[in-house]
Structures are given as C-alpha cells and as structure tokens.
Amino acid sequence: MATSKIKTIKNTLRKAIDYIINPSKTEDGQLVYSHGCSVGTADLEMALTAKQGTGRGDRIAYHLMQSFSPEDDITPEKALQLGIEFAQKVTGGKCEFVIATHTDKDHIHNHIIFNSVDYMNHRKYHSDKKDKYRIRDINDEICKANNLSVLPKYDGKRKNKYENIHKKEKNSWQNKLKAVIDQAIQNSETFEDVLFALEMEGYEIKRGKYISFRATGQERFTRAKSIGELYTEEAIKERIANKDKEVIPETKQSEASTSDIKQKNIPNAERTENSNQAQGQKKAPVQKKSFSSKRINLLVDISKNVKAQQSKGYEQALVRSNINTLVKTMNFLIQHKITTPEDFQIYAEGKKAEYSLYRKDSRKIEMELLELSEKIKFTQNYKKNAAVYYESRRAKNPAAFAREHEDQLVLFKASEMYFERKQLNPKELNLAEMFERYKELKAEKEGLSKRSNSIKREIDELDRVAQNIETALGISFNESGKSQNSGRERDEHSAEH
C-alpha cells in the first residue's frame, strides 16, 4: 500500500540531504532531482531564501516520505516522476526541494526534503495535525490515478460525527435521569421512596460506593454524582428533607418550559415583546432551514447494525434513510437514462476517461508552473546579484570580497549552474513576461480544477450507486460491462457450507 509521512528537520540539513542522495541507494545518483536549487548547494540556497523573509524558526526544512507497495507495478523512474508530482502538490511548487528515489529496500520509496520557507513570497510552510491528512489525500489521489494501491480511507469526519452523536446521547440520558429524580423527590418521603420511583420508571439501580442508574436501552450505568452536585445520594436526601423549599433545577425547567429559560438571556424590551405575543398576539411563523442533501449515501445493512438491534426507533430511522437512498439512486439512473448494467458501465467509463483527460491537462499546467517558478527564481537571483559577481572579478582582494558577499555569490553561481543545465541565456529572459504567463497558467489551472473536481464527485457518486445496486439487487459489474449475481452467489455458497 502507498503511504506518506512528514517530519521536521531542525538541524543538520546538509547531512539529511547527503543521506537521501546516497549513490548506493539512488542507482549512482540517477534517481535524484532538485527544484529551485542545485543539489550540491541546496542547504545554502534554502537558508538564503529564509533570510529574505522572517526566518525559519526552529523548523529549517521538512522531510517527506512516499512509499509504494512491493506488489505495485512501478519502476524507479516512474516513482521519481510521481514523487516530483507529490512534492509539487504538497508545496505548491513554491519551495526548493530535493527528491531521491531509493531502490535499496524491497519496496521503492521517495525521500523529499523541502524548505520551510517558500521562495515566491518568503512565507513559512505551516504543518499541523490536519496537514498529514491533506498530504495523505494528495498521495492517495496520485496513486489511484496511476493504478497503485492505497490504504483504506480514514474518515476523520465520520469519527467526529460518531463521537458527537454519542456525546449528545449521553447528555440526553443524563437530562432524563435528572428530570425523573427531580419529580421523584417531590413525591417521596425517604431516599428509598426515590429509588422505588426510579425502579417504577424502568431504571436499573446499582448500589456501591457511588449509586448508579441505567434506563431501559441505555448501554452503561450513570453515576448520580456525575450529573451534578444536586444528585449525589447525600444531596438527594437533603433535598427530600427540604422539599418544601425546593427550587426546580434549571434542567427540569428547560424540559417543562424551554421558552422561560430562553427568556433569561433576552433583553428586557424583547422579553416584554415575547410576553405580549404569548398573551394573544400572533407570532410570526419561524422559517425552518432545509438541510436536505442531494448526495447519494450508501445503503445500510440494518440486520448487522448494533444500534438498530437495540433501538426500534433507530431501526425505523435507518429504514427511512435506506428508502430515501434508494429513491436517489433510482433518480440518478433515470436522469442519466441508465437502464442496464451495460449502460452504467459505458457511462462510468466515459466519465473516468473525461476525468483522465482533465487531469492530464492539469498535470501539464502544473509542470509548466513548476518549471516557470524555478526559472523566475533563478532569473531574479541572477539579475539581482550579477553586479556583485562582476565586481568580485575586479576586486583587489578577491578572497576578502568573497567572504563579505558570500550570500550573493552563492546565489549567482547557483543561477549560472541552472542556466547552463537548461541551456538558457538569462540576459534574454524577461521577468515581466514570465510573471504574466504565471498568472495566466494559475487561472487556467483553477478553471480545470473546478471542472475536474466536479467530474471526480460524480465518479464517486457512481461508485456509491453501483454499491447500492449490488446491495439491493445482488448485481455487480465486471470490467467487460456484463452483470453477474455475485452477491447472491456468495450468499448461496456461504449457506451451502
């Protein structure tokens, strides 16, 4: 499976670069590539780029790793090509980087070291917890487009949604328990009467160091002390003894009269207006927001859903959701005039081919942007430091002059090496024209990205439609476009054995 990882470099940048370009790991240096810098002076050039901005801080560079599965059909040259694309997308093509493809292990992998400061705007690269997911998404997209395997998708949003749902459920159980205890206190003379009242309401009671309650359908017990100071055993006994002076807790008030609680946070003028409305004036109808989604979800296997087995209401909600999903699936097929598995296969293949063309055009523009940004950088450095270089040749004390202007001379010589490698004459290059071309390419790329992203979303939707058809009808599609009852055959085979 293709994987990616990023870590920071806080010192010994030169040592890190020397490690990744090791000839014994890179087929005698044939699998090494640099962008925005020369491999031999990359550490110096990255440092000088940082000096032109606000500096680096403690992170002087980042080390990005991209690994491919031993089972994937990929050559070292192809891996290097994908590594360049990967680095370009992660950095936006604005940071100097050195990339090396290693072939000394059983799996081909790339090492990419890029500057923590970009050379276009001299801004720092910000890496946080979300960045690793962004990087993984970029790597997955590149690998899928090249028919390489990726790890199963980690759905962080789904995890957060799951946690939020259970948090709400926990709060709901607690609020119900509070309300039942409050009511029981008003009708009880002893603590045992309260416990009896809770048992009559269907609560299971566990006595111990801390008394706990569990309602019917609730998974875990709730300790009384965990829902508030007024609900410990001692507090309940005290409240029973003083129930004539009992003030209804806020939680119960919210259930009994939500509008009264809300009034507490409303200014006096508005509170009076709301009161007048309650006494007879007609209240303007509240416009409810509609959150209906056009997205086609996957059908849920209710028979295997644990929550559906525990809650009849949840089971019914899943049934309604599945019906809604089936309606959307059928509407999609009708809208696109798909009546057979063959129609579906042709339509899906057409969309994939269209996406492939858009991606190819987008990749072409990305590479031109990468090359152009590099050309702009070296042209700027050449023109900015040419005078210092020519002055150094006329200096009476060349060694002293070189020490005094070391940074400018390093940048100029790196630019010269670039132009020699590219066989370009820097005196013939026009920076204004290059910047204008860069803007045109950026705008063109954004337009392509919008169209390709729209097609990508439709391809993902097609995948969900196919899975829903297979779940509902047991029909799947193979490469040739013929249908087969694979799902049913698997079930029958399992039943026989």
Side-chain angles (χ1 to χ4, degrees):
M1 300 293 181
T3 60
S4 60
K5 189 188 299 182
I6 187 170
K7 63 180 183 179
T8 58
I9 297 175
K10 297 187 177 181
N11 48 45
T12 62
L13 175 58
R14 184 69 252 171
K15 186 177 179 181
I17 293 173
D18 288 341
Y19 168 78
I20 71 167
I21 65 171
N22 187 335
S24 66
K25 298 174 181 287
T26 59
E27 297 185 3
D28 292 326
Q30 295 298 310
L31 301 173
V32 176
Y33 175 91
S34 65
H35 166 74
C37 60
S38 297
V39 176
T41 56
D43 56 325
L44 298 175
E45 292 181 67
M46 290 183 187
L48 293 175
T49 295
K51 277 187 180 181
Q52 296 177 60
T54 58
R56 291 164 154 172
D58 61 337
R59 300 181 179 188
I60 63 176
Y62 291 89
H63 186 178
L64 191 60
M65 286 153 278
Q66 180 187 34
S67 300
F68 305 97
S69 171
E71 298 175 2
D72 284 335
D73 183 18
I74 184 170
T75 64
E77 292 74 21
K78 181 66 174 179
L80 180 61
Q81 181 187 336
L82 298 185
I84 295 169
E85 183 179 355
F86 185 39
Q88 188 273 333
K89 287 183 177 293
V90 171
T91 66
K94 297 178 181 179
C95 296
E96 296 110 330
F97 64 78
V98 177
I99 175 170
T101 302
H102 286 193
T103 57
D104 58 322
K105 299 283 180 66
D106 61 345
H107 64 287
I108 297 173
H109 56 284
N110 289 323
H111 289 271
I112 303 161
I113 292 178
F114 66 90
N115 199 358
S116 62
V117 179
D118 77 70
Y119 60 74
M120 296 289 283
N121 305 302
H122 304 110
R123 293 175 181 167
K124 293 180 182 177
Y125 178 91
H126 291 287
S127 180
D128 53 22
K129 290 181 179 178
K130 292 181 181 178
D131 194 42
K132 68 178 181 179
Y133 298 113
R134 180 184 73 91
I135 288 171
R136 174 174 169 178
D137 287 342
I138 291 171
N139 187 43
D140 286 354
E141 181 186 355
I142 291 170
C143 291
K144 285 178 182 177
N146 288 275
N147 299 315
L148 301 175
S149 58
V150 298
L151 291 171
K153 186 72 175 174
Y154 171 80
D155 194 343
K157 290 182 180 178
R158 182 171 294 177
K159 181 182 177 184
N160 291 339
K161 183 178 179 182
Y162 176 86
E163 291 174 346
N164 289 337
I165 288 172
H166 282 268
K167 188 175 181 180
K168 288 178 182 177
E169 287 180 349
K170 182 179 178 182
N171 291 338
S172 177
W173 288 119
Q174 291 182 348
N175 288 335
K176 286 178 183 177
L177 178 59
K178 285 182 180 181
V180 173
I181 292 175
D182 292 339
Q183 186 64 39
I185 287 172
Q186 295 301 311
N187 300 317
S188 301
E189 297 298 327
T190 65
F191 181 69
E192 296 300 326
D193 291 342
V194 171
L195 299 184
F196 179 75
L198 264 70
E199 285 181 337
M200 292 298 99
E201 292 291 334
Y203 279 86
E204 184 180 349
I205 300 168
K206 184 167 68 173
R207 306 292 289 264
K209 184 178 180 180
Y210 303 108
I211 192 163
S212 303
F213 306 93
R214 181 168 65 182
T216 303
Q218 186 178 353
E219 185 178 351
R220 297 181 180 179
F221 279 89
T222 300
R223 285 184 179 178
K225 77 181 190 73
S226 69
I227 60 175
E229 295 178 357
L230 295 176
Y231 300 92
T232 63
E233 185 172 342
E234 294 75 16
I236 292 173
K237 289 178 180 178
E238 187 175 342
R239 287 174 62 188
I240 293 170
N242 299 283
K243 64 180 177 181
D244 294 338
K245 302 175 184 178
E246 175 83 1
V247 177
I248 299 175
E250 188 175 329
T251 302
K252 186 177 179 181
Q253 278 185 313
S254 66
E255 294 193 3
S257 179
T258 306
S259 60
D260 290 345
I261 294 296
K262 290 180 178 178
Q263 292 274 353
K264 290 182 180 180
N265 297 322
I266 299 175
N268 291 333
E270 291 181 36
R271 199 178 302 166
T272 304
E273 183 181 347
N274 291 344
S275 178
N276 292 336
Q277 287 179 345
Q279 290 174 8
Q281 295 181 14
K282 287 185 177 181
K283 194 173 181 180
V286 178
Q287 292 285 340
K288 290 187 177 181
K289 291 184 179 179
S290 176
F291 295 98
S292 59
S293 172
K294 294 182 180 180
R295 183 179 186 273
I296 299 175
N297 297 316
L298 289 173
L299 289 171
V300 178
D301 188 345
I302 299 175
S303 65
K304 296 180 181 178
N305 188 283
V306 177
K307 287 183 67 178
Q309 310 307 314
Q310 296 174 344
S311 168
K312 193 68 178 176
Y314 191 79
E315 180 187 1
Q316 292 171 351
L318 285 183
V319 170
R320 289 193 296 271
S321 176
N322 276 351
I323 292 171
N324 186 39
T325 295
L326 280 172
V327 170
K328 287 180 179 179
T329 300
M330 293 306 299
N331 285 342
F332 180 92
L333 297 174
I334 293 168
Q335 180 185 348
H336 296 91
K337 299 178 181 179
I338 297 172
T339 57
T340 67
E342 289 75 14
D343 290 344
F344 184 92
Q345 195 73 16
I346 291 168
Y347 185 84
E349 287 175 357
K351 284 296 172 183
K352 289 176 182 177
E354 189 178 357
Y355 176 72
S356 180
L357 287 173
Y358 273 122
R359 192 179 182 282
K360 187 177 180 180
D361 291 342
S362 181
R363 182 67 193 131
K364 186 178 178 182
I365 292 175
E366 286 172 359
M367 289 306 296
E368 190 173 346
L369 281 168
L370 194 67
E371 292 172 4
L372 187 55
S373 68
E374 187 177 46
K375 189 188 294 184
I376 289 171
K377 179 209 168 178
F378 284 119
T379 304
Q380 285 178 318
N381 286 344
Y382 182 92
K383 292 182 182 295
K384 190 186 297 183
N385 300 297
V388 175
Y389 171 73
Y390 291 120
E391 190 178 346
S392 71
R393 298 177 66 177
R394 299 189 299 268
K396 293 180 180 179
N397 188 341
F401 188 92
R403 285 194 299 272
E404 186 179 351
H405 300 89
E406 182 182 4
D407 293 354
Q408 293 97 318
L409 293 174
V410 167
L411 291 174
F412 182 82
K413 288 176 182 177
S415 301
E416 273 196 325
M417 290 171 63
Y418 166 80
F419 292 122
E420 286 175 11
R421 188 169 70 249
K422 296 289 184 178
Q423 297 182 342
L424 295 171
N425 183 354
K427 295 177 183 179
E428 296 176 355
L429 299 176
N430 187 310
L431 276 170
E433 291 178 359
M434 285 192 283
F435 277 120
E436 187 61 32
R437 178 58 179 160
Y438 191 87
K439 284 173 61 178
E440 290 173 2
L441 287 170
K442 287 284 286 184
E444 193 176 343
K445 181 178 179 295
E446 286 173 7
L448 279 173
S449 294
K450 286 180 181 178
R451 293 193 290 274
S452 64
N453 288 340
S454 175
I455 296 171
K456 180 66 167 61
R457 285 192 293 270
E458 190 168 356
I459 290 171
D460 292 340
E461 195 166 60
L462 280 165
D463 184 54
R464 292 192 292 272
V465 167
Q467 290 185 62
N468 287 342
I469 293 171
E470 181 171 2
T471 301
L473 304 177
I475 296 174
S476 62
F477 310 109
N478 61 18
E479 294 298 323
S480 63
K482 296 179 181 178
S483 64
Q484 54 185 5
N485 295 328
S486 58
R488 290 175 183 171
E489 288 172 2
R490 283 196 299 270
D491 292 343
E492 291 169 3
H493 180 78
S494 298
E496 291 173 359
H497 292 82

